[in-house]
Amino acid sequence: MGRWEPDAQGRLARAAMELYSERGFDNTTVEEIAARAGLTERTFFRYFADKREVLFGGANELQQLLEAPVSLAPIEVVAQAYMAAGDDIFEARRDFARIRQAVIAASTELRERELIKLALLNAALAGALRQRGVDDPEASLAAEAGGSAFRLGFERWVEDTKGTPMATFIRDALDALKAVAAGA
């Protein structure tokens, strides 16, 4: 591919995922990713802070989805944000998500990074709930519980071979959480 072709960020992400799958995350360099995409290292760093960010970008998109009626319970606001993310961000990227999860599962460093990113996302969601007038501990509990339902739903969605929408798995996990909390 020539340097003038469109979608440099997408080309870099695809090249990175291919190389991570072939060689492993630790054995892949930014130089190799850029070369595979037909671009320069400088271009890579225009889109990604480091090679881990190929795997962990998109958290800001999720925070922007935290738009829901004020009348909803805090956990439902978080659930709607995660389900909207499933529809708007992840559904078109299921194959990418599967490869991404396999790469992350193979690396202790990346599993730790994933947990840190999820914790930061949960903290941001709790902050957004507080801005909507939800007090603590309710804001923090809703964000953490919603994050757990998302993580479980995401894992099941990645494993699913039937094409079930991610939102279904998130809703199922949230319903199970509610049942556990109610003592069912």
Side-chain angles (χ1 to χ4, degrees):
M1 286 187 194
R3 294 181 205 281
W4 60 87
E5 292 187 27
D7 192 25
Q9 184 174 12
R11 289 170 39 210
L12 287 163
R14 285 187 298 278
M17 297 308 288
E18 290 169 5
L19 288 166
Y20 296 163
S21 294
E22 293 168 13
R23 302 178 186 173
F25 176 81
D26 292 330
N27 297 322
T28 301
T29 67
V30 169
E31 179 182 3
E32 293 166 333
I33 294 167
R36 171 82 56 107
L39 298 163
T40 65
E41 284 182 75
R42 186 175 179 166
T43 301
F44 178 92
F45 289 114
R46 209 173 285 143
Y47 294 101
F48 304 102
D50 59 39
K51 68 181 189 173
R52 294 175 301 188
E53 286 306 305
V54 174
L55 300 166
F56 297 105
N60 291 338
E61 293 174 63
L62 183 56
Q63 291 174 32
Q64 294 170 1
L65 292 172
L66 196 61
E67 299 292 328
V70 176
S71 61
L72 287 179
I75 190 70
E76 287 299 326
V77 172
V78 173
Q80 280 200 2
Y82 278 120
M83 289 187 295
D87 291 342
D88 296 348
I89 299 170
F90 293 103
E91 284 299 336
R93 303 176 70 190
R94 190 182 292 244
D95 291 337
F96 178 88
R98 284 189 175 122
I99 295 167
R100 176 190 177 276
Q101 281 309 106
V103 170
I104 291 171
S107 169
T108 301
E109 175 191 351
L110 294 176
R111 287 192 308 270
E112 290 172 356
R113 176 76 171 198
E114 171 123 299
L115 291 174
I116 290 167
K117 286 285 195 170
L118 287 171
L120 292 171
L121 180 57
N122 288 341
L125 290 173
L129 287 171
R130 284 191 284 286
Q131 287 179 348
R132 291 173 59 105
V134 178
D135 293 327
D136 262 329
E138 290 84 358
S140 294
L141 286 169
E144 292 291 332
S148 293
F150 168 74
R151 189 174 69 244
L152 180 60
F154 180 83
E155 290 169 1
R156 292 193 173 158
W157 175 75
V158 166
E159 295 169 359
D160 177 59
T161 59
K162 298 176 185 172
T164 307
M166 182 192 287
T168 300
F169 292 106
I170 295 170
R171 174 55 59 198
D172 290 349
L174 186 62
D175 290 346
L177 175 64
K178 288 177 179 178
V180 168

